[in-house]
Structure formats: C-alpha cells, structure tokens
Amino acid sequence: MKNILCIGAGYVGGPTMAMIAKKCPQYRVKIVDINAARIDAWNSDNLPVYEPGLQEVVESVRGKNLFFGTDIDASIKEADIIFVSVNTPTKTFGFGCGKASDLQYIEKTARSILAASDGNKIVVEKSTLPVRTAESMERILNSNQKGIHFDVVSNPEFLAEGTAITDLENPDRVLIGGHTDASGRAAVEEIAKIYANWVPRERIITTNLWSSELSKLTANAFLAQRISSVNSLSALCEKTGANIDEIAYAIGCDSRIGSKFLKASIGFGGSCFKKDILNLVYLCEHYGLPEVAEYWESVVKINEWQTTRSVKRVLRSLFNTIAGKKIAVFGFAFKANTNDTRESPAHLVVRELLDERAIPVITDYKALPDAKRDLSDVLDKVMFVEDPYEAAKDAHAILLCTEWRQFAELDWKKVYNLMSKPALIFDGRNILNGDELTKIGFEFMSIGKA
Ligand code: NAD
Ligand code: UGA
C-alpha cells in the first residue's frame, strides 16, 4: 500500500485528499497540519470547512484509509508521495509587500520534508505558487547529503469553494507538470495514476513544470477578469438603461464567449483571485513587463471600485446619511455554500458602513463565526444575527452580499413589515425579483440596472 501525505489541512488539502482516499482505497492517505485545533475538527463531527457533500465523503473513509494528525515528521518519513497544500498568502512586509506571494510556509515545509526524510519521495505542489517555485523547492530538497532524491511535480488545484466535491469528483481537467527527464516523467505518471482511478485519461493534462505553475495563476486571472469586465459594464448599464443580465445572456450565447462567469456582482471575493492576480502582477514587474502588470492589476482595481461604488449608491439613496441607522447585511461569506469569508466583499461593505457610522447587522447561514473573527476589532459596533428576519427588524436598508439561495426564498412581505420605512433593498448579487419586491413596497436597487 502506497502512502500519500498532504501537508496543510485547509480548504484544499482536506477535500482533495478526502476525495483521493475515497476513490483510491489502495492508497493510505494522511493529512497533517501545524494547527492542532483544525486537525481536531477534521477528526470530529464538526469539520472546519463547510462544503456540500464533504462530511459524507470524509465519514466514508476517515479511519479506514484517511487519517488526520499533527505528527508531521513521522508522517513525512513513511510517505511515498507528499502533497504540499499550505497557504500562500500575499506578502505583508519587505520586498514585494502587498503583491508577491509569501512563501515562508512553503519553504518551511520543504525544509521539514528534507529533515525528516530518509528515502526518495515525490513532492507535489498543490498550493498555488509563483512560476518557477519548483526550482527553489528542488534546490532545498536536493541539497541533501543523505543520498536521497526528490522529484518535484506541480499539480495545481482548480476546485471552487461551495462546489468542491462535485469539482473534485468530475474535474474539467487535472493538470500535472514535471521535468521531462526519465525521473521527472516517472513522477508525473505516478501522480497521473492516482487521478486515473476516477478521471478519464484524456482529462489528465501533462505539461512542463513552469507551464503548470503559470497555468494556475492564468486560470484565476482569466476567471476574475471576466467578472471585472462584466462589473465594469454594469456601471455603464446603470447610466444608460441597458440591463447587465440581459447583456450577459446575449453575449454568453456566443459560443466563443460562453455563458459562465458573467454574473455581475458587488465584487468577487475569496482567498485566491486577488492574491493570485497580484502575484501575477508582481511576477510581470519582476520580469520587466510593466505594461502586462498594469493590465492585470486593473482587474483587481475594478473589483474594489465595484464594491465601494455600490455602497456609495446605497448611501445616496438613503439621503446621504446613515449615521446611527441599522443597515442589514445579508450574507458575509464570499459566495454561497461556504463558511469562508476571506476577502469577502461583505467585509469591505461593513467597514464602509462603519466609516459612515451606521450600525451593520450581519446575518449569514454558515459564516457568522468567521465574520465575528474578521470583525473582532469592532464587535461593539456590529450586530450578528442568525435569523434574517431578526436582522431586518428596524433596518433602513438590506444589502444582499452573498447569493445564498435561502435569501431568494424569504417571505419578503414579512421582511418589509419588520423594516423601517422607506425600506431599501440593494441586491448585490442580482438574485432577487425586483418587480415583486417593488410591488410589496420596497425601494429596489441592483447591480447593472438603472
Ligand atoms: P488554508 O489556509 O485553508 O490551509 C492551509 C493550511 O496549511 C493551514 O491549515 C495551515 O495551518 C497549514 N500549514 C501552514 N504551514 C504549515 C506547515 N509548515 N506544516 C503543516 N501545515 C502548515 O489554505 P487553502 O485555502 O487550503 O489554500 C491552500 C493553497 O491552495 C493556497 O496556495 C491556495 O492559493 C490554493 N488554492 C486554494 C483554493 C481554495 O478554494 N481555497 C483552490 C485552489 C487552490
Ligand atoms: C476560484 C476558481 O473558480 C477556482 O477554479 C480556483 O481553484 C479557486 O478560485 C482558487 O484558486 O482558490 P472560488 O474563489 O472558490 O474559486 O469561487 P468562485 O466560484 O470562482 O467565485 C469567486 C468569487 O467570484 C465569488 O465571490 C463569486 O461570488 C464571484 N463571482 C463568480 C461573481 O461575482 N460572478 C460570477 O459570474 C462568478
């Protein structure tokens, strides 16, 4: 039985390895982390990550061929294949501050692997990394005097949160990059063999290492660029009477454009789009390509502008003063079906409401614990309420920031009756029926519609 180890039990490491364990009973899969509380949660009924279908997958294999632990060194020693899935946030200090990837967790992991290993291993970059990181990994790993050899392979993850299990079960593609010498090719095949247990071979793409690393940043940059493109035009729609949903449908019917990822919104969030694009921007600057850097940076700038201008629109509709007013924020997760609040546009919305001295009342189906953590410095100025009706009570406006399906299904007449009048709804995700809400009596605003 081969031993697979994953270092990093987060949003990627947990679900990805649980799926490998489920599909490959012939492998023993172990996930380790320095965060003992997170490992305890993975070993409990209350998993640290909320994903539809994840609990069932974990419960079907945990204790059989999937294990969670904190015994990192011992687990490294017994592993044949090590996936590295640690966090790679934006650097907040020194050179490249605010743009470059902070690679300290990756480097520490490489050094732990080196220190604890006593035999050859394949090390797989699962984290999203700047192009050519594998070169540094190899330099650290293969600098050893123990006579052991490490093959470094890139296998970026493309799952989206909220749909992680279906994405993993049925991926558009699996990408594996490696060196083209005999040892590199064998390592790539070893990783391809794992996925081939459930992914058709034609969907397993192999490339050189640098193409694989850079494809991941490129994929996220393209996806985010589509959202910024549609969001930039949503502003023009609001000025001209065009309707952004109608435009998205009309252009999406062109098979060259395609219909996905054209939903105008209050802005994209999540831990990766912004950080990965800024990383791309940094790389372009580093390689002396300022025009390319500027092009991609505009995707992030438009995104922040979209959120800020949305709050300004709401402010204008509330007579330019919301000081002391209760404003309900419906949704704090960065998207529906997740408890993840990293880089959520709702966070920026709440901060701007606080700048205006409003009283934000936040409701969310899964993200209230993380919202409280993110807003720990202003807990006395913000309210957190589980029940959306309770959140709406006496509010002057509702800002819908997350596309939770449950919001569309609320009894909006009841909500209206609870609110202060005039009652405003700003639909930052374009999921509500504006005509019906207007009939009830709401003032209704949404993205990209006059
Ligand atoms: P995360 O913060 O949820 O998880 C990372 C985990 O690594 C943490 O639990 C942390 O404690 C652990 N860790 C850090 N250093 C460690 C060390 N030295 N030893 C052991 N454990 C260590 O992050 P995530 O969202 O899972 O993302 C991980 C990587 O995957 C990032 O590079 C990210 O860009 C990429 N990615 C994320 C997603 C996503 O949907 N979240 C999708 C695709 C790719
Ligand atoms: C994204 C990518 O979709 C994944 O392929 C990638 O693996 C992942 O980043 C990563 O590298 O972390 P994720 O951020 O989890 O996944 O979720 P998305 O579905 O991409 O949504 C990102 C943000 O864009 C959300 O705030 C969502 O509401 C917003 N969005 C999405 C829009 O505003 N409009 C759209 O049309 C689509």
Side-chain angles (χ1 to χ4, degrees), residues 126-162:
K126 189 49 124 176
S127 299
T128 302
L129 295 165
V131 56
R132 295 201 80 89
T133 302
E135 199 171 29
S136 318
M137 293 269 273
E138 281 170 337
R139 268 188 50 209
I140 296 173
L141 291 169
N142 287 325
S143 67
N144 68 80
Q145 313 294 316
K146 304 182 192 176
I148 53 178
H149 175 75
F150 295 90
D151 280 295
V152 177
V153 168
S154 159
N155 169 223
E157 184 49 58
F158 296 101
L159 69 79
E161 289 178 28

Tab-separated table of all heavy atoms in Angstrom, residues 126-162:
chain	number	residue	atom	x	y	z
A	126	LYS	N	0.706	21.438	-4.525
A	126	LYS	CA	-0.749	21.559	-4.670
A	126	LYS	C	-1.144	23.014	-4.442
A	126	LYS	O	-2.090	23.518	-5.044
A	126	LYS	CB	-1.412	20.622	-3.654
A	126	LYS	CG	-2.897	20.420	-3.770
A	126	LYS	CD	-3.341	20.105	-5.143
A	126	LYS	CE	-4.108	18.870	-5.395
A	126	LYS	NZ	-4.537	18.803	-6.831
A	127	SER	N	-0.398	23.690	-3.568
A	127	SER	CA	-0.647	25.121	-3.350
A	127	SER	C	-0.454	25.873	-4.657
A	127	SER	O	0.257	25.417	-5.557
A	127	SER	CB	0.364	25.686	-2.343
A	127	SER	OG	0.262	25.063	-1.107
A	128	THR	N	-1.067	27.058	-4.756
A	128	THR	CA	-0.869	27.925	-5.915
A	128	THR	C	0.410	28.725	-5.699
A	128	THR	O	0.551	29.391	-4.667
A	128	THR	CB	-2.077	28.874	-6.052
A	128	THR	OG1	-3.249	28.070	-6.183
A	128	THR	CG2	-1.926	29.789	-7.250
A	129	LEU	N	1.308	28.651	-6.677
A	129	LEU	CA	2.645	29.203	-6.454
A	129	LEU	C	3.116	30.037	-7.634
A	129	LEU	O	2.699	29.813	-8.773
A	129	LEU	CB	3.629	28.044	-6.240
A	129	LEU	CG	3.370	27.213	-4.982
A	129	LEU	CD1	4.125	25.903	-5.040
A	129	LEU	CD2	3.745	28.007	-3.745
A	130	PRO	N	4.034	30.983	-7.363
A	130	PRO	CA	4.619	31.735	-8.477
A	130	PRO	C	5.370	30.796	-9.406
A	130	PRO	O	5.938	29.791	-8.948
A	130	PRO	CB	5.603	32.679	-7.790
A	130	PRO	CG	5.345	32.594	-6.340
A	130	PRO	CD	4.539	31.387	-6.057
A	131	VAL	N	5.358	31.130	-10.708
A	131	VAL	CA	6.065	30.278	-11.660
A	131	VAL	C	7.556	30.228	-11.287
A	131	VAL	O	8.141	31.226	-10.924
A	131	VAL	CB	5.837	30.774	-13.111
A	131	VAL	CG1	6.224	32.215	-13.298
A	131	VAL	CG2	6.563	29.893	-14.116
A	132	ARG	N	8.093	29.032	-11.340
A	132	ARG	CA	9.487	28.670	-11.032
A	132	ARG	C	9.730	28.411	-9.538
A	132	ARG	O	10.872	28.266	-9.105
A	132	ARG	CB	10.491	29.673	-11.594
A	132	ARG	CG	10.486	29.716	-13.121
A	132	ARG	CD	11.737	30.286	-13.716
A	132	ARG	NE	12.830	29.319	-13.770
A	132	ARG	CZ	13.064	28.480	-14.787
A	132	ARG	NH1	12.267	28.474	-15.837
A	132	ARG	NH2	14.090	27.664	-14.758
A	133	THR	N	8.665	28.307	-8.734
A	133	THR	CA	8.863	27.955	-7.324
A	133	THR	C	9.480	26.565	-7.196
A	133	THR	O	10.282	26.305	-6.294
A	133	THR	CB	7.518	27.981	-6.551
A	133	THR	OG1	6.969	29.279	-6.679
A	133	THR	CG2	7.699	27.653	-5.087
A	134	ALA	N	9.130	25.678	-8.134
A	134	ALA	CA	9.651	24.302	-8.046
A	134	ALA	C	11.177	24.290	-8.073
A	134	ALA	O	11.813	23.409	-7.487
A	134	ALA	CB	9.089	23.454	-9.189
A	135	GLU	N	11.741	25.288	-8.756
A	135	GLU	CA	13.197	25.372	-8.824
A	135	GLU	C	13.780	25.548	-7.406
A	135	GLU	O	14.732	24.871	-7.026
A	135	GLU	CB	13.560	26.586	-9.684
A	135	GLU	CG	14.944	26.580	-10.234
A	135	GLU	CD	15.125	27.720	-11.239
A	135	GLU	OE1	14.456	28.780	-11.109
A	135	GLU	OE2	15.944	27.549	-12.144
A	136	SER	N	13.163	26.459	-6.635
A	136	SER	CA	13.644	26.688	-5.262
A	136	SER	C	13.401	25.457	-4.403
A	136	SER	O	14.250	25.066	-3.598
A	136	SER	CB	12.921	27.875	-4.619
A	136	SER	OG	12.797	28.922	-5.516
A	137	MET	N	12.211	24.842	-4.576
A	137	MET	CA	11.904	23.624	-3.800
A	137	MET	C	12.974	22.572	-4.055
A	137	MET	O	13.488	21.939	-3.128
A	137	MET	CB	10.556	23.035	-4.237
A	137	MET	CG	9.361	23.863	-3.921
A	137	MET	SD	8.698	23.418	-2.330
A	137	MET	CE	7.631	22.083	-2.763
A	138	GLU	N	13.303	22.395	-5.337
A	138	GLU	CA	14.287	21.355	-5.684
A	138	GLU	C	15.659	21.675	-5.107
A	138	GLU	O	16.374	20.778	-4.661
A	138	GLU	CB	14.402	21.245	-7.209
A	138	GLU	CG	13.257	20.459	-7.801
A	138	GLU	CD	13.214	20.528	-9.319
A	138	GLU	OE1	13.756	21.492	-9.907
A	138	GLU	OE2	12.622	19.611	-9.899
A	139	ARG	N	15.993	22.970	-5.126
A	139	ARG	CA	17.313	23.344	-4.597
A	139	ARG	C	17.403	23.010	-3.121
A	139	ARG	O	18.410	22.497	-2.642
A	139	ARG	CB	17.579	24.825	-4.832
A	139	ARG	CG	18.300	25.037	-6.151
A	139	ARG	CD	18.756	26.456	-6.362
A	139	ARG	NE	19.495	27.037	-5.271
A	139	ARG	CZ	19.504	28.350	-5.003
A	139	ARG	NH1	18.793	29.175	-5.755
A	139	ARG	NH2	20.209	28.826	-4.021
A	140	ILE	N	16.326	23.313	-2.392
A	140	ILE	CA	16.329	22.998	-0.950
A	140	ILE	C	16.373	21.480	-0.745
A	140	ILE	O	17.217	20.942	-0.031
A	140	ILE	CB	15.076	23.583	-0.256
A	140	ILE	CG1	15.107	25.106	-0.328
A	140	ILE	CG2	14.948	23.088	1.178
A	140	ILE	CD1	13.843	25.797	0.161
A	141	LEU	N	15.481	20.776	-1.439
A	141	LEU	CA	15.318	19.342	-1.178
A	141	LEU	C	16.537	18.525	-1.629
A	141	LEU	O	16.982	17.614	-0.935
A	141	LEU	CB	14.061	18.824	-1.885
A	141	LEU	CG	12.740	19.320	-1.313
A	141	LEU	CD1	11.581	18.974	-2.251
A	141	LEU	CD2	12.490	18.694	0.057
A	142	ASN	N	17.062	18.879	-2.803
A	142	ASN	CA	18.134	18.039	-3.345
A	142	ASN	C	19.527	18.496	-2.919
A	142	ASN	O	20.530	18.016	-3.428
A	142	ASN	CB	18.000	17.929	-4.868
A	142	ASN	CG	16.819	17.024	-5.232
A	142	ASN	OD1	16.545	16.055	-4.532
A	142	ASN	ND2	16.113	17.356	-6.295
A	143	SER	N	19.552	19.434	-1.939
A	143	SER	CA	20.856	19.867	-1.424
A	143	SER	C	21.328	18.915	-0.324
A	143	SER	O	22.245	19.213	0.402
A	143	SER	CB	20.715	21.274	-0.831
A	143	SER	OG	19.895	21.203	0.321
A	144	ASN	N	20.646	17.783	-0.180
A	144	ASN	CA	20.934	16.938	0.988
A	144	ASN	C	22.181	16.072	0.811
A	144	ASN	O	22.589	15.771	-0.308
A	144	ASN	CB	19.722	16.051	1.289
A	144	ASN	CG	19.508	15.007	0.204
A	144	ASN	OD1	20.172	13.986	0.193
A	144	ASN	ND2	18.587	15.277	-0.721
A	145	GLN	N	22.746	15.695	1.932
A	145	GLN	CA	23.938	14.828	1.939
A	145	GLN	C	23.524	13.381	2.198
A	145	GLN	O	24.349	12.527	2.483
A	145	GLN	CB	24.916	15.251	3.064
A	145	GLN	CG	25.217	16.735	3.159
A	145	GLN	CD	25.984	17.228	1.944
A	145	GLN	OE1	26.916	16.573	1.490
A	145	GLN	NE2	25.576	18.369	1.396
A	146	LYS	N	22.207	13.103	2.178
A	146	LYS	CA	21.748	11.761	2.570
A	146	LYS	C	21.697	10.806	1.384
A	146	LYS	O	21.312	9.647	1.539
A	146	LYS	CB	20.326	11.841	3.167
A	146	LYS	CG	20.165	12.776	4.341
A	146	LYS	CD	18.715	12.685	4.843
A	146	LYS	CE	18.345	13.762	5.817
A	146	LYS	NZ	16.942	13.717	6.220
A	147	GLY	N	21.998	11.339	0.195
A	147	GLY	CA	21.949	10.484	-0.992
A	147	GLY	C	20.520	10.171	-1.419
A	147	GLY	O	20.265	9.168	-2.090
A	148	ILE	N	19.554	11.000	-1.005
A	148	ILE	CA	18.171	10.729	-1.434
A	148	ILE	C	17.740	11.765	-2.465
A	148	ILE	O	18.246	12.881	-2.494
A	148	ILE	CB	17.174	10.684	-0.240
A	148	ILE	CG1	17.280	11.943	0.622
A	148	ILE	CG2	17.408	9.451	0.578
A	148	ILE	CD1	16.285	11.958	1.778
A	149	HIS	N	16.788	11.352	-3.308
A	149	HIS	CA	16.382	12.209	-4.423
A	149	HIS	C	14.889	12.541	-4.319
A	149	HIS	O	14.065	11.684	-4.024
A	149	HIS	CB	16.665	11.489	-5.752
A	149	HIS	CG	16.168	12.263	-6.929
A	149	HIS	ND1	16.813	13.393	-7.393
A	149	HIS	CD2	15.085	12.088	-7.712
A	149	HIS	CE1	16.137	13.878	-8.429
A	149	HIS	NE2	15.083	13.103	-8.651
A	150	PHE	N	14.580	13.813	-4.573
A	150	PHE	CA	13.182	14.247	-4.573
A	150	PHE	C	12.794	14.691	-5.978
A	150	PHE	O	13.525	15.472	-6.602
A	150	PHE	CB	12.985	15.438	-3.616
A	150	PHE	CG	13.218	15.111	-2.184
A	150	PHE	CD1	14.485	15.251	-1.621
A	150	PHE	CD2	12.184	14.664	-1.374
A	150	PHE	CE1	14.707	14.950	-0.290
A	150	PHE	CE2	12.401	14.360	-0.043
A	150	PHE	CZ	13.665	14.506	0.508
A	151	ASP	N	11.673	14.209	-6.477
A	151	ASP	CA	11.112	14.734	-7.719
A	151	ASP	C	10.024	15.721	-7.342
A	151	ASP	O	9.110	15.369	-6.583
A	151	ASP	CB	10.503	13.600	-8.555
A	151	ASP	CG	11.569	12.832	-9.307
A	151	ASP	OD1	12.215	13.432	-10.181
A	151	ASP	OD2	11.766	11.644	-8.965
A	152	VAL	N	10.106	16.932	-7.883
A	152	VAL	CA	9.068	17.925	-7.591
A	152	VAL	C	8.131	18.019	-8.799
A	152	VAL	O	8.570	18.142	-9.948
A	152	VAL	CB	9.690	19.306	-7.280
A	152	VAL	CG1	8.588	20.352	-7.058
A	152	VAL	CG2	10.577	19.212	-6.037
A	153	VAL	N	6.836	17.911	-8.504
A	153	VAL	CA	5.807	17.906	-9.543
A	153	VAL	C	4.802	18.998	-9.194
A	153	VAL	O	4.546	19.249	-8.018
A	153	VAL	CB	5.115	16.502	-9.540
A	153	VAL	CG1	3.860	16.500	-10.374
A	153	VAL	CG2	6.079	15.432	-10.020
A	154	SER	N	4.261	19.668	-10.212
A	154	SER	CA	3.223	20.677	-9.957
A	154	SER	C	1.864	20.089	-10.314
A	154	SER	O	1.686	19.530	-11.394
A	154	SER	CB	3.511	21.918	-10.823
A	154	SER	OG	2.342	22.687	-10.989
A	155	ASN	N	0.921	20.193	-9.365
A	155	ASN	CA	-0.434	19.676	-9.633
A	155	ASN	C	-1.435	20.660	-9.020
A	155	ASN	O	-2.033	20.421	-7.991
A	155	ASN	CB	-0.559	18.267	-9.010
A	155	ASN	CG	-1.979	17.737	-8.991
A	155	ASN	OD1	-2.429	17.161	-8.000
A	155	ASN	ND2	-2.706	17.903	-10.065
A	156	PRO	N	-1.592	21.835	-9.666
A	156	PRO	CA	-2.455	22.862	-9.080
A	156	PRO	C	-3.898	22.399	-8.952
A	156	PRO	O	-4.343	21.530	-9.699
A	156	PRO	CB	-2.339	24.036	-10.056
A	156	PRO	CG	-1.796	23.476	-11.312
A	156	PRO	CD	-1.031	22.242	-10.964
A	157	GLU	N	-4.589	22.996	-7.991
A	157	GLU	CA	-5.984	22.616	-7.741
A	157	GLU	C	-6.925	23.672	-8.327
A	157	GLU	O	-6.708	24.852	-8.156
A	157	GLU	CB	-6.213	22.467	-6.229
A	157	GLU	CG	-7.584	21.986	-5.875
A	157	GLU	CD	-7.988	20.757	-6.677
A	157	GLU	OE1	-7.299	19.737	-6.618
A	157	GLU	OE2	-9.011	20.841	-7.396
A	158	PHE	N	-7.963	23.217	-9.015
A	158	PHE	CA	-8.900	24.146	-9.655
A	158	PHE	C	-10.287	24.138	-9.017
A	158	PHE	O	-11.210	24.745	-9.560
A	158	PHE	CB	-9.016	23.816	-11.154
A	158	PHE	CG	-7.728	24.022	-11.903
A	158	PHE	CD1	-6.901	22.947	-12.229
A	158	PHE	CD2	-7.323	25.295	-12.273
A	158	PHE	CE1	-5.699	23.140	-12.902
A	158	PHE	CE2	-6.125	25.509	-12.952
A	158	PHE	CZ	-5.306	24.421	-13.267
A	159	LEU	N	-10.446	23.448	-7.882
A	159	LEU	CA	-11.793	23.398	-7.282
A	159	LEU	C	-12.236	24.790	-6.872
A	159	LEU	O	-11.424	25.654	-6.541
A	159	LEU	CB	-11.812	22.455	-6.079
A	159	LEU	CG	-11.064	22.844	-4.797
A	159	LEU	CD1	-11.832	23.843	-3.938
A	159	LEU	CD2	-10.777	21.610	-3.985
A	160	ALA	N	-13.543	25.007	-6.902
A	160	ALA	CA	-14.106	26.252	-6.360
A	160	ALA	C	-14.829	25.902	-5.069
A	160	ALA	O	-15.437	24.819	-4.953
A	160	ALA	CB	-15.070	26.882	-7.355
A	161	GLU	N	-14.762	26.774	-4.092
A	161	GLU	CA	-15.449	26.509	-2.833
A	161	GLU	C	-16.958	26.532	-3.057
A	161	GLU	O	-17.459	27.239	-3.922
A	161	GLU	CB	-15.017	27.525	-1.777
A	161	GLU	CG	-13.589	27.279	-1.350
A	161	GLU	CD	-13.068	28.288	-0.339
A	161	GLU	OE1	-13.866	28.836	0.428
A	161	GLU	OE2	-11.851	28.516	-0.345
A	162	GLY	N	-17.645	25.738	-2.271
A	162	GLY	CA	-19.102	25.645	-2.441
A	162	GLY	C	-19.482	24.523	-3.404
A	162	GLY	O	-20.553	23.953	-3.306
